[in-house]
Amino acid sequence: QVQLVESGGGLVQAGGSLRLSCTASGRTYAMGWFRQAPGKEREFIVAFTWNTRRTRYADSVKGRFTISGDNGKNTLYLQMNSLKPEDTSVYYCAAHTDYSGPLYPPTITSAYDHWGQGTQVTVSS
């Protein structure tokens, strides 16, 4: 069983930046970031495949958020710049650990079998 540990959330003013990290205790084939505000659906942000090094971003964050990976640390980072109040949410890291090893980053929650504990990001006006 893969454990995902998230960190980096916090409170920032609009226009500020935060960097989230997600560290996996075991092998993952794809990882992604989702966010969910109270009463809202869990929203895809970005996903990444380790084997093919493919990345897919949601339109809502494209150009503002970027991800990077550290294979040695089994860690995926989410750099969030130009934050907006609309970005306020709980951010969840997710991992796909199926041996099939997807070539393309999954964008739906059902494709992931492990989730981090969530980290709160709050952006003030």
Side-chain angles (χ1 to χ4, degrees):
Q1 180 176 298
V2 171
Q3 295 288 120
L4 302 177
V5 179
E6 303 177 31
S7 63
L11 172 65
V12 297
Q13 291 186 321
S17 299
L18 285 173
R19 189 178 77 159
L20 308 183
S21 65
C22 176
T23 299
S25 63
R27 184 177 183 181
T28 64
Y29 296 93
M31 296 181 69
W33 287 96
F34 293 75
R35 64 188 182 189
Q36 187 169 24
K40 304 294 184 180
E41 296 180 348
R42 189 161 295 190
E43 176 189 7
F44 166 76
I45 300 171
V46 62
F48 175 79
T49 51
W50 291 106
N51 57 336
T52 61
R53 317 300 288 188
R54 295 179 184 269
T55 306
R56 184 180 297 172
Y57 291 91
D59 289 341
S60 60
V61 304
K62 193 176 299 181
R64 299 189 298 122
F65 293 8
T66 56
I67 59 167
S68 59
D70 188 330
N71 264 329
K73 298 180 180 179
N74 295 312
T75 299
L76 189 71
Y77 301 96
L78 177 64
Q79 179 66 46
M80 305 185 294
N81 298 324
S82 301
L83 284 163
K84 307 173 181 179
E86 308 92 88
D87 296 318
T88 296
S89 190
V90 177
Y91 284 70
Y92 295 93
C93 175
H96 176 92
T97 60
D98 191 284
Y99 68 90
S100 61
L103 298 177
Y104 305 98
T107 62
I108 57 176
T109 58
S110 61
Y112 297 89
D113 47 26
H114 290 82
W115 293 84
Q117 80 279 9
T119 184
Q120 177 70 46
V121 171
T122 302
V123 184
S124 63
S125 301

mmCIF file with all atom_site columns, all heavy atoms in Angstrom, residues 75-100:
data_model
loop_
_atom_site.group_PDB
_atom_site.id
_atom_site.type_symbol
_atom_site.label_atom_id
_atom_site.label_alt_id
_atom_site.label_comp_id
_atom_site.label_asym_id
_atom_site.label_entity_id
_atom_site.label_seq_id
_atom_site.pdbx_PDB_ins_code
_atom_site.Cartn_x
_atom_site.Cartn_y
_atom_site.Cartn_z
_atom_site.occupancy
_atom_site.B_iso_or_equiv
_atom_site.pdbx_formal_charge
_atom_site.auth_seq_id
_atom_site.auth_comp_id
_atom_site.auth_asym_id
_atom_site.auth_atom_id
_atom_site.pdbx_PDB_model_num
ATOM 1   N N   . THR A 1 75  ? 8.911   12.150 -5.068  1.00 0.00 ? 75  THR A N   1
ATOM 2   C CA  . THR A 1 75  ? 8.158   13.337 -4.713  1.00 0.00 ? 75  THR A CA  1
ATOM 3   C C   . THR A 1 75  ? 7.719   14.103 -5.953  1.00 0.00 ? 75  THR A C   1
ATOM 4   O O   . THR A 1 75  ? 8.487   14.255 -6.904  1.00 0.00 ? 75  THR A O   1
ATOM 5   C CB  . THR A 1 75  ? 8.994   14.258 -3.812  1.00 0.00 ? 75  THR A CB  1
ATOM 6   O OG1 . THR A 1 75  ? 9.320   13.567 -2.604  1.00 0.00 ? 75  THR A OG1 1
ATOM 7   C CG2 . THR A 1 75  ? 8.236   15.525 -3.466  1.00 0.00 ? 75  THR A CG2 1
ATOM 8   N N   . LEU A 1 76  ? 6.496   14.567 -5.908  1.00 0.00 ? 76  LEU A N   1
ATOM 9   C CA  . LEU A 1 76  ? 5.945   15.424 -6.943  1.00 0.00 ? 76  LEU A CA  1
ATOM 10  C C   . LEU A 1 76  ? 5.632   16.777 -6.327  1.00 0.00 ? 76  LEU A C   1
ATOM 11  O O   . LEU A 1 76  ? 5.004   16.855 -5.274  1.00 0.00 ? 76  LEU A O   1
ATOM 12  C CB  . LEU A 1 76  ? 4.682   14.806 -7.539  1.00 0.00 ? 76  LEU A CB  1
ATOM 13  C CG  . LEU A 1 76  ? 4.108   15.489 -8.777  1.00 0.00 ? 76  LEU A CG  1
ATOM 14  C CD1 . LEU A 1 76  ? 5.005   15.244 -9.989  1.00 0.00 ? 76  LEU A CD1 1
ATOM 15  C CD2 . LEU A 1 76  ? 2.699   14.980 -9.059  1.00 0.00 ? 76  LEU A CD2 1
ATOM 16  N N   . TYR A 1 77  ? 6.072   17.823 -6.986  1.00 0.00 ? 77  TYR A N   1
ATOM 17  C CA  . TYR A 1 77  ? 5.855   19.177 -6.507  1.00 0.00 ? 77  TYR A CA  1
ATOM 18  C C   . TYR A 1 77  ? 4.834   19.900 -7.369  1.00 0.00 ? 77  TYR A C   1
ATOM 19  O O   . TYR A 1 77  ? 4.767   19.686 -8.584  1.00 0.00 ? 77  TYR A O   1
ATOM 20  C CB  . TYR A 1 77  ? 7.158   19.976 -6.522  1.00 0.00 ? 77  TYR A CB  1
ATOM 21  C CG  . TYR A 1 77  ? 8.256   19.378 -5.680  1.00 0.00 ? 77  TYR A CG  1
ATOM 22  C CD1 . TYR A 1 77  ? 9.227   18.564 -6.251  1.00 0.00 ? 77  TYR A CD1 1
ATOM 23  C CD2 . TYR A 1 77  ? 8.323   19.631 -4.314  1.00 0.00 ? 77  TYR A CD2 1
ATOM 24  C CE1 . TYR A 1 77  ? 10.240  18.018 -5.482  1.00 0.00 ? 77  TYR A CE1 1
ATOM 25  C CE2 . TYR A 1 77  ? 9.328   19.085 -3.538  1.00 0.00 ? 77  TYR A CE2 1
ATOM 26  C CZ  . TYR A 1 77  ? 10.283  18.277 -4.128  1.00 0.00 ? 77  TYR A CZ  1
ATOM 27  O OH  . TYR A 1 77  ? 11.288  17.739 -3.356  1.00 0.00 ? 77  TYR A OH  1
ATOM 28  N N   . LEU A 1 78  ? 4.073   20.754 -6.731  1.00 0.00 ? 78  LEU A N   1
ATOM 29  C CA  . LEU A 1 78  ? 3.138   21.614 -7.432  1.00 0.00 ? 78  LEU A CA  1
ATOM 30  C C   . LEU A 1 78  ? 3.460   23.053 -7.067  1.00 0.00 ? 78  LEU A C   1
ATOM 31  O O   . LEU A 1 78  ? 3.215   23.478 -5.935  1.00 0.00 ? 78  LEU A O   1
ATOM 32  C CB  . LEU A 1 78  ? 1.694   21.283 -7.070  1.00 0.00 ? 78  LEU A CB  1
ATOM 33  C CG  . LEU A 1 78  ? 0.625   22.169 -7.707  1.00 0.00 ? 78  LEU A CG  1
ATOM 34  C CD1 . LEU A 1 78  ? 0.631   22.015 -9.226  1.00 0.00 ? 78  LEU A CD1 1
ATOM 35  C CD2 . LEU A 1 78  ? -0.755  21.850 -7.145  1.00 0.00 ? 78  LEU A CD2 1
ATOM 36  N N   . GLN A 1 79  ? 4.028   23.772 -8.016  1.00 0.00 ? 79  GLN A N   1
ATOM 37  C CA  . GLN A 1 79  ? 4.326   25.177 -7.820  1.00 0.00 ? 79  GLN A CA  1
ATOM 38  C C   . GLN A 1 79  ? 3.133   25.993 -8.283  1.00 0.00 ? 79  GLN A C   1
ATOM 39  O O   . GLN A 1 79  ? 2.745   25.926 -9.448  1.00 0.00 ? 79  GLN A O   1
ATOM 40  C CB  . GLN A 1 79  ? 5.580   25.578 -8.606  1.00 0.00 ? 79  GLN A CB  1
ATOM 41  C CG  . GLN A 1 79  ? 5.955   27.043 -8.485  1.00 0.00 ? 79  GLN A CG  1
ATOM 42  C CD  . GLN A 1 79  ? 6.381   27.422 -7.085  1.00 0.00 ? 79  GLN A CD  1
ATOM 43  O OE1 . GLN A 1 79  ? 7.171   26.717 -6.460  1.00 0.00 ? 79  GLN A OE1 1
ATOM 44  N NE2 . GLN A 1 79  ? 5.849   28.526 -6.572  1.00 0.00 ? 79  GLN A NE2 1
ATOM 45  N N   . MET A 1 80  ? 2.566   26.764 -7.377  1.00 0.00 ? 80  MET A N   1
ATOM 46  C CA  . MET A 1 80  ? 1.375   27.545 -7.665  1.00 0.00 ? 80  MET A CA  1
ATOM 47  C C   . MET A 1 80  ? 1.725   29.021 -7.594  1.00 0.00 ? 80  MET A C   1
ATOM 48  O O   . MET A 1 80  ? 2.087   29.532 -6.538  1.00 0.00 ? 80  MET A O   1
ATOM 49  C CB  . MET A 1 80  ? 0.257   27.218 -6.681  1.00 0.00 ? 80  MET A CB  1
ATOM 50  C CG  . MET A 1 80  ? -0.089  25.737 -6.622  1.00 0.00 ? 80  MET A CG  1
ATOM 51  S SD  . MET A 1 80  ? -1.519  25.381 -5.559  1.00 0.00 ? 80  MET A SD  1
ATOM 52  C CE  . MET A 1 80  ? -0.840  25.851 -3.960  1.00 0.00 ? 80  MET A CE  1
ATOM 53  N N   . ASN A 1 81  ? 1.627   29.687 -8.727  1.00 0.00 ? 81  ASN A N   1
ATOM 54  C CA  . ASN A 1 81  ? 1.916   31.106 -8.819  1.00 0.00 ? 81  ASN A CA  1
ATOM 55  C C   . ASN A 1 81  ? 0.653   31.869 -9.201  1.00 0.00 ? 81  ASN A C   1
ATOM 56  O O   . ASN A 1 81  ? -0.313  31.293 -9.688  1.00 0.00 ? 81  ASN A O   1
ATOM 57  C CB  . ASN A 1 81  ? 3.007   31.372 -9.851  1.00 0.00 ? 81  ASN A CB  1
ATOM 58  C CG  . ASN A 1 81  ? 4.324   30.723 -9.513  1.00 0.00 ? 81  ASN A CG  1
ATOM 59  O OD1 . ASN A 1 81  ? 4.711   30.644 -8.344  1.00 0.00 ? 81  ASN A OD1 1
ATOM 60  N ND2 . ASN A 1 81  ? 5.042   30.266 -10.533 1.00 0.00 ? 81  ASN A ND2 1
ATOM 61  N N   . SER A 1 82  ? 0.699   33.170 -8.997  1.00 0.00 ? 82  SER A N   1
ATOM 62  C CA  . SER A 1 82  ? -0.430  34.044 -9.339  1.00 0.00 ? 82  SER A CA  1
ATOM 63  C C   . SER A 1 82  ? -1.734  33.508 -8.781  1.00 0.00 ? 82  SER A C   1
ATOM 64  O O   . SER A 1 82  ? -2.749  33.423 -9.473  1.00 0.00 ? 82  SER A O   1
ATOM 65  C CB  . SER A 1 82  ? -0.522  34.200 -10.863 1.00 0.00 ? 82  SER A CB  1
ATOM 66  O OG  . SER A 1 82  ? 0.666   34.737 -11.392 1.00 0.00 ? 82  SER A OG  1
ATOM 67  N N   . LEU A 1 83  ? -1.702  33.155 -7.526  1.00 0.00 ? 83  LEU A N   1
ATOM 68  C CA  . LEU A 1 83  ? -2.868  32.550 -6.902  1.00 0.00 ? 83  LEU A CA  1
ATOM 69  C C   . LEU A 1 83  ? -4.042  33.518 -6.825  1.00 0.00 ? 83  LEU A C   1
ATOM 70  O O   . LEU A 1 83  ? -3.867  34.719 -6.616  1.00 0.00 ? 83  LEU A O   1
ATOM 71  C CB  . LEU A 1 83  ? -2.512  32.043 -5.512  1.00 0.00 ? 83  LEU A CB  1
ATOM 72  C CG  . LEU A 1 83  ? -1.714  30.738 -5.490  1.00 0.00 ? 83  LEU A CG  1
ATOM 73  C CD1 . LEU A 1 83  ? -1.052  30.526 -4.143  1.00 0.00 ? 83  LEU A CD1 1
ATOM 74  C CD2 . LEU A 1 83  ? -2.625  29.565 -5.830  1.00 0.00 ? 83  LEU A CD2 1
ATOM 75  N N   . LYS A 1 84  ? -5.219  32.963 -7.002  1.00 0.00 ? 84  LYS A N   1
ATOM 76  C CA  . LYS A 1 84  ? -6.465  33.710 -6.963  1.00 0.00 ? 84  LYS A CA  1
ATOM 77  C C   . LYS A 1 84  ? -7.342  33.191 -5.836  1.00 0.00 ? 84  LYS A C   1
ATOM 78  O O   . LYS A 1 84  ? -7.205  32.043 -5.422  1.00 0.00 ? 84  LYS A O   1
ATOM 79  C CB  . LYS A 1 84  ? -7.218  33.558 -8.292  1.00 0.00 ? 84  LYS A CB  1
ATOM 80  C CG  . LYS A 1 84  ? -6.412  33.905 -9.526  1.00 0.00 ? 84  LYS A CG  1
ATOM 81  C CD  . LYS A 1 84  ? -7.201  33.560 -10.783 1.00 0.00 ? 84  LYS A CD  1
ATOM 82  C CE  . LYS A 1 84  ? -6.412  33.869 -12.036 1.00 0.00 ? 84  LYS A CE  1
ATOM 83  N NZ  . LYS A 1 84  ? -7.175  33.497 -13.261 1.00 0.00 ? 84  LYS A NZ  1
ATOM 84  N N   . PRO A 1 85  ? -8.258  34.019 -5.342  1.00 0.00 ? 85  PRO A N   1
ATOM 85  C CA  . PRO A 1 85  ? -9.189  33.523 -4.320  1.00 0.00 ? 85  PRO A CA  1
ATOM 86  C C   . PRO A 1 85  ? -9.941  32.277 -4.764  1.00 0.00 ? 85  PRO A C   1
ATOM 87  O O   . PRO A 1 85  ? -10.262 31.433 -3.922  1.00 0.00 ? 85  PRO A O   1
ATOM 88  C CB  . PRO A 1 85  ? -10.133 34.707 -4.111  1.00 0.00 ? 85  PRO A CB  1
ATOM 89  C CG  . PRO A 1 85  ? -9.294  35.897 -4.422  1.00 0.00 ? 85  PRO A CG  1
ATOM 90  C CD  . PRO A 1 85  ? -8.416  35.468 -5.564  1.00 0.00 ? 85  PRO A CD  1
ATOM 91  N N   . GLU A 1 86  ? -10.203 32.152 -6.043  1.00 0.00 ? 86  GLU A N   1
ATOM 92  C CA  . GLU A 1 86  ? -10.892 30.977 -6.568  1.00 0.00 ? 86  GLU A CA  1
ATOM 93  C C   . GLU A 1 86  ? -10.085 29.693 -6.414  1.00 0.00 ? 86  GLU A C   1
ATOM 94  O O   . GLU A 1 86  ? -10.625 28.599 -6.546  1.00 0.00 ? 86  GLU A O   1
ATOM 95  C CB  . GLU A 1 86  ? -11.237 31.163 -8.054  1.00 0.00 ? 86  GLU A CB  1
ATOM 96  C CG  . GLU A 1 86  ? -11.972 32.450 -8.367  1.00 0.00 ? 86  GLU A CG  1
ATOM 97  C CD  . GLU A 1 86  ? -11.026 33.572 -8.743  1.00 0.00 ? 86  GLU A CD  1
ATOM 98  O OE1 . GLU A 1 86  ? -10.689 33.686 -9.943  1.00 0.00 ? 86  GLU A OE1 1
ATOM 99  O OE2 . GLU A 1 86  ? -10.632 34.334 -7.844  1.00 0.00 ? 86  GLU A OE2 1
ATOM 100 N N   . ASP A 1 87  ? -8.794  29.830 -6.159  1.00 0.00 ? 87  ASP A N   1
ATOM 101 C CA  . ASP A 1 87  ? -7.944  28.660 -5.954  1.00 0.00 ? 87  ASP A CA  1
ATOM 102 C C   . ASP A 1 87  ? -8.071  28.093 -4.546  1.00 0.00 ? 87  ASP A C   1
ATOM 103 O O   . ASP A 1 87  ? -7.518  27.022 -4.261  1.00 0.00 ? 87  ASP A O   1
ATOM 104 C CB  . ASP A 1 87  ? -6.480  29.005 -6.219  1.00 0.00 ? 87  ASP A CB  1
ATOM 105 C CG  . ASP A 1 87  ? -6.219  29.389 -7.664  1.00 0.00 ? 87  ASP A CG  1
ATOM 106 O OD1 . ASP A 1 87  ? -6.772  28.733 -8.569  1.00 0.00 ? 87  ASP A OD1 1
ATOM 107 O OD2 . ASP A 1 87  ? -5.452  30.347 -7.887  1.00 0.00 ? 87  ASP A OD2 1
ATOM 108 N N   . THR A 1 88  ? -8.749  28.809 -3.677  1.00 0.00 ? 88  THR A N   1
ATOM 109 C CA  . THR A 1 88  ? -8.925  28.340 -2.309  1.00 0.00 ? 88  THR A CA  1
ATOM 110 C C   . THR A 1 88  ? -9.634  26.993 -2.301  1.00 0.00 ? 88  THR A C   1
ATOM 111 O O   . THR A 1 88  ? -10.726 26.848 -2.847  1.00 0.00 ? 88  THR A O   1
ATOM 112 C CB  . THR A 1 88  ? -9.721  29.353 -1.487  1.00 0.00 ? 88  THR A CB  1
ATOM 113 O OG1 . THR A 1 88  ? -8.977  30.565 -1.372  1.00 0.00 ? 88  THR A OG1 1
ATOM 114 C CG2 . THR A 1 88  ? -10.010 28.812 -0.093  1.00 0.00 ? 88  THR A CG2 1
ATOM 115 N N   . SER A 1 89  ? -8.999  26.023 -1.686  1.00 0.00 ? 89  SER A N   1
ATOM 116 C CA  . SER A 1 89  ? -9.543  24.674 -1.692  1.00 0.00 ? 89  SER A CA  1
ATOM 117 C C   . SER A 1 89  ? -8.640  23.777 -0.864  1.00 0.00 ? 89  SER A C   1
ATOM 118 O O   . SER A 1 89  ? -7.563  24.178 -0.435  1.00 0.00 ? 89  SER A O   1
ATOM 119 C CB  . SER A 1 89  ? -9.637  24.142 -3.130  1.00 0.00 ? 89  SER A CB  1
ATOM 120 O OG  . SER A 1 89  ? -10.370 22.933 -3.177  1.00 0.00 ? 89  SER A OG  1
ATOM 121 N N   . VAL A 1 90  ? -9.096  22.566 -0.665  1.00 0.00 ? 90  VAL A N   1
ATOM 122 C CA  . VAL A 1 90  ? -8.234  21.520 -0.148  1.00 0.00 ? 90  VAL A CA  1
ATOM 123 C C   . VAL A 1 90  ? -7.620  20.810 -1.342  1.00 0.00 ? 90  VAL A C   1
ATOM 124 O O   . VAL A 1 90  ? -8.333  20.370 -2.244  1.00 0.00 ? 90  VAL A O   1
ATOM 125 C CB  . VAL A 1 90  ? -8.995  20.520 0.734   1.00 0.00 ? 90  VAL A CB  1
ATOM 126 C CG1 . VAL A 1 90  ? -8.064  19.394 1.190   1.00 0.00 ? 90  VAL A CG1 1
ATOM 127 C CG2 . VAL A 1 90  ? -9.597  21.225 1.940   1.00 0.00 ? 90  VAL A CG2 1
ATOM 128 N N   . TYR A 1 91  ? -6.321  20.705 -1.345  1.00 0.00 ? 91  TYR A N   1
ATOM 129 C CA  . TYR A 1 91  ? -5.605  20.102 -2.457  1.00 0.00 ? 91  TYR A CA  1
ATOM 130 C C   . TYR A 1 91  ? -5.181  18.691 -2.099  1.00 0.00 ? 91  TYR A C   1
ATOM 131 O O   . TYR A 1 91  ? -4.597  18.455 -1.041  1.00 0.00 ? 91  TYR A O   1
ATOM 132 C CB  . TYR A 1 91  ? -4.387  20.948 -2.828  1.00 0.00 ? 91  TYR A CB  1
ATOM 133 C CG  . TYR A 1 91  ? -4.760  22.195 -3.588  1.00 0.00 ? 91  TYR A CG  1
ATOM 134 C CD1 . TYR A 1 91  ? -5.438  23.241 -2.961  1.00 0.00 ? 91  TYR A CD1 1
ATOM 135 C CD2 . TYR A 1 91  ? -4.450  22.328 -4.945  1.00 0.00 ? 91  TYR A CD2 1
ATOM 136 C CE1 . TYR A 1 91  ? -5.810  24.372 -3.661  1.00 0.00 ? 91  TYR A CE1 1
ATOM 137 C CE2 . TYR A 1 91  ? -4.813  23.461 -5.643  1.00 0.00 ? 91  TYR A CE2 1
ATOM 138 C CZ  . TYR A 1 91  ? -5.491  24.479 -5.004  1.00 0.00 ? 91  TYR A CZ  1
ATOM 139 O OH  . TYR A 1 91  ? -5.849  25.608 -5.708  1.00 0.00 ? 91  TYR A OH  1
ATOM 140 N N   . TYR A 1 92  ? -5.477  17.774 -2.986  1.00 0.00 ? 92  TYR A N   1
ATOM 141 C CA  . TYR A 1 92  ? -5.199  16.367 -2.766  1.00 0.00 ? 92  TYR A CA  1
ATOM 142 C C   . TYR A 1 92  ? -4.224  15.831 -3.799  1.00 0.00 ? 92  TYR A C   1
ATOM 143 O O   . TYR A 1 92  ? -4.399  16.037 -4.999  1.00 0.00 ? 92  TYR A O   1
ATOM 144 C CB  . TYR A 1 92  ? -6.478  15.537 -2.845  1.00 0.00 ? 92  TYR A CB  1
ATOM 145 C CG  . TYR A 1 92  ? -7.489  15.842 -1.769  1.00 0.00 ? 92  TYR A CG  1
ATOM 146 C CD1 . TYR A 1 92  ? -8.494  16.773 -1.973  1.00 0.00 ? 92  TYR A CD1 1
ATOM 147 C CD2 . TYR A 1 92  ? -7.441  15.177 -0.548  1.00 0.00 ? 92  TYR A CD2 1
ATOM 148 C CE1 . TYR A 1 92  ? -9.425  17.049 -0.993  1.00 0.00 ? 92  TYR A CE1 1
ATOM 149 C CE2 . TYR A 1 92  ? -8.369  15.445 0.436   1.00 0.00 ? 92  TYR A CE2 1
ATOM 150 C CZ  . TYR A 1 92  ? -9.360  16.379 0.209   1.00 0.00 ? 92  TYR A CZ  1
ATOM 151 O OH  . TYR A 1 92  ? -10.287 16.639 1.188   1.00 0.00 ? 92  TYR A OH  1
ATOM 152 N N   . CYS A 1 93  ? -3.253  15.128 -3.325  1.00 0.00 ? 93  CYS A N   1
ATOM 153 C CA  . CYS A 1 93  ? -2.363  14.378 -4.177  1.00 0.00 ? 93  CYS A CA  1
ATOM 154 C C   . CYS A 1 93  ? -2.945  12.991 -4.395  1.00 0.00 ? 93  CYS A C   1
ATOM 155 O O   . CYS A 1 93  ? -3.562  12.416 -3.493  1.00 0.00 ? 93  CYS A O   1
ATOM 156 C CB  . CYS A 1 93  ? -0.986  14.283 -3.525  1.00 0.00 ? 93  CYS A CB  1
ATOM 157 S SG  . CYS A 1 93  ? 0.214   13.270 -4.398  1.00 0.00 ? 93  CYS A SG  1
ATOM 158 N N   . ALA A 1 94  ? -2.774  12.458 -5.582  1.00 0.00 ? 94  ALA A N   1
ATOM 159 C CA  . ALA A 1 94  ? -3.291  11.138 -5.904  1.00 0.00 ? 94  ALA A CA  1
ATOM 160 C C   . ALA A 1 94  ? -2.247  10.341 -6.674  1.00 0.00 ? 94  ALA A C   1
ATOM 161 O O   . ALA A 1 94  ? -1.400  10.909 -7.372  1.00 0.00 ? 94  ALA A O   1
ATOM 162 C CB  . ALA A 1 94  ? -4.574  11.258 -6.728  1.00 0.00 ? 94  ALA A CB  1
ATOM 163 N N   . ALA A 1 95  ? -2.325  9.031  -6.544  1.00 0.00 ? 95  ALA A N   1
ATOM 164 C CA  . ALA A 1 95  ? -1.383  8.154  -7.219  1.00 0.00 ? 95  ALA A CA  1
ATOM 165 C C   . ALA A 1 95  ? -2.096  6.989  -7.872  1.00 0.00 ? 95  ALA A C   1
ATOM 166 O O   . ALA A 1 95  ? -3.061  6.449  -7.319  1.00 0.00 ? 95  ALA A O   1
ATOM 167 C CB  . ALA A 1 95  ? -0.329  7.637  -6.251  1.00 0.00 ? 95  ALA A CB  1
ATOM 168 N N   . HIS A 1 96  ? -1.619  6.612  -9.035  1.00 0.00 ? 96  HIS A N   1
ATOM 169 C CA  . HIS A 1 96  ? -2.057  5.416  -9.732  1.00 0.00 ? 96  HIS A CA  1
ATOM 170 C C   . HIS A 1 96  ? -0.933  4.395  -9.612  1.00 0.00 ? 96  HIS A C   1
ATOM 171 O O   . HIS A 1 96  ? 0.188   4.654  -10.055 1.00 0.00 ? 96  HIS A O   1
ATOM 172 C CB  . HIS A 1 96  ? -2.350  5.735  -11.197 1.00 0.00 ? 96  HIS A CB  1
ATOM 173 C CG  . HIS A 1 96  ? -2.724  4.552  -12.016 1.00 0.00 ? 96  HIS A CG  1
ATOM 174 N ND1 . HIS A 1 96  ? -4.034  4.161  -12.195 1.00 0.00 ? 96  HIS A ND1 1
ATOM 175 C CD2 . HIS A 1 96  ? -1.963  3.667  -12.705 1.00 0.00 ? 96  HIS A CD2 1
ATOM 176 C CE1 . HIS A 1 96  ? -4.060  3.089  -12.959 1.00 0.00 ? 96  HIS A CE1 1
ATOM 177 N NE2 . HIS A 1 96  ? -2.819  2.767  -13.280 1.00 0.00 ? 96  HIS A NE2 1
ATOM 178 N N   . THR A 1 97  ? -1.235  3.261  -9.035  1.00 0.00 ? 97  THR A N   1
ATOM 179 C CA  . THR A 1 97  ? -0.202  2.258  -8.777  1.00 0.00 ? 97  THR A CA  1
ATOM 180 C C   . THR A 1 97  ? -0.412  0.960  -9.536  1.00 0.00 ? 97  THR A C   1
ATOM 181 O O   . THR A 1 97  ? 0.342   0.009  -9.347  1.00 0.00 ? 97  THR A O   1
ATOM 182 C CB  . THR A 1 97  ? -0.113  1.940  -7.282  1.00 0.00 ? 97  THR A CB  1
ATOM 183 O OG1 . THR A 1 97  ? -1.374  1.433  -6.821  1.00 0.00 ? 97  THR A OG1 1
ATOM 184 C CG2 . THR A 1 97  ? 0.248   3.183  -6.488  1.00 0.00 ? 97  THR A CG2 1
ATOM 185 N N   . ASP A 1 98  ? -1.409  0.905  -10.397 1.00 0.00 ? 98  ASP A N   1
ATOM 186 C CA  . ASP A 1 98  ? -1.660  -0.289 -11.189 1.00 0.00 ? 98  ASP A CA  1
ATOM 187 C C   . ASP A 1 98  ? -0.446  -0.605 -12.054 1.00 0.00 ? 98  ASP A C   1
ATOM 188 O O   . ASP A 1 98  ? 0.165   0.293  -12.642 1.00 0.00 ? 98  ASP A O   1
ATOM 189 C CB  . ASP A 1 98  ? -2.900  -0.087 -12.059 1.00 0.00 ? 98  ASP A CB  1
ATOM 190 C CG  . ASP A 1 98  ? -3.370  -1.371 -12.705 1.00 0.00 ? 98  ASP A CG  1
ATOM 191 O OD1 . ASP A 1 98  ? -2.741  -1.807 -13.690 1.00 0.00 ? 98  ASP A OD1 1
ATOM 192 O OD2 . ASP A 1 98  ? -4.371  -1.939 -12.230 1.00 0.00 ? 98  ASP A OD2 1
ATOM 193 N N   . TYR A 1 99  ? -0.141  -1.895 -12.150 1.00 0.00 ? 99  TYR A N   1
ATOM 194 C CA  . TYR A 1 99  ? 1.052   -2.317 -12.887 1.00 0.00 ? 99  TYR A CA  1
ATOM 195 C C   . TYR A 1 99  ? 0.990   -2.021 -14.375 1.00 0.00 ? 99  TYR A C   1
ATOM 196 O O   . TYR A 1 99  ? 2.010   -2.080 -15.062 1.00 0.00 ? 99  TYR A O   1
ATOM 197 C CB  . TYR A 1 99  ? 1.295   -3.814 -12.689 1.00 0.00 ? 99  TYR A CB  1
ATOM 198 C CG  . TYR A 1 99  ? 0.244   -4.693 -13.329 1.00 0.00 ? 99  TYR A CG  1
ATOM 199 C CD1 . TYR A 1 99  ? 0.404   -5.118 -14.638 1.00 0.00 ? 99  TYR A CD1 1
ATOM 200 C CD2 . TYR A 1 99  ? -0.873  -5.093 -12.621 1.00 0.00 ? 99  TYR A CD2 1
ATOM 201 C CE1 . TYR A 1 99  ? -0.547  -5.925 -15.238 1.00 0.00 ? 99  TYR A CE1 1
ATOM 202 C CE2 . TYR A 1 99  ? -1.827  -5.893 -13.211 1.00 0.00 ? 99  TYR A CE2 1
ATOM 203 C CZ  . TYR A 1 99  ? -1.670  -6.310 -14.514 1.00 0.00 ? 99  TYR A CZ  1
ATOM 204 O OH  . TYR A 1 99  ? -2.614  -7.113 -15.104 1.00 0.00 ? 99  TYR A OH  1
ATOM 205 N N   . SER A 1 100 ? -0.216  -1.743 -14.881 1.00 0.00 ? 100 SER A N   1
ATOM 206 C CA  . SER A 1 100 ? -0.377  -1.494 -16.309 1.00 0.00 ? 100 SER A CA  1
ATOM 207 C C   . SER A 1 100 ? 0.404   -0.268 -16.775 1.00 0.00 ? 100 SER A C   1
ATOM 208 O O   . SER A 1 100 ? 0.726   -0.153 -17.955 1.00 0.00 ? 100 SER A O   1
ATOM 209 C CB  . SER A 1 100 ? -1.855  -1.351 -16.659 1.00 0.00 ? 100 SER A CB  1
ATOM 210 O OG  . SER A 1 100 ? -2.448  -0.265 -15.974 1.00 0.00 ? 100 SER A OG  1
#
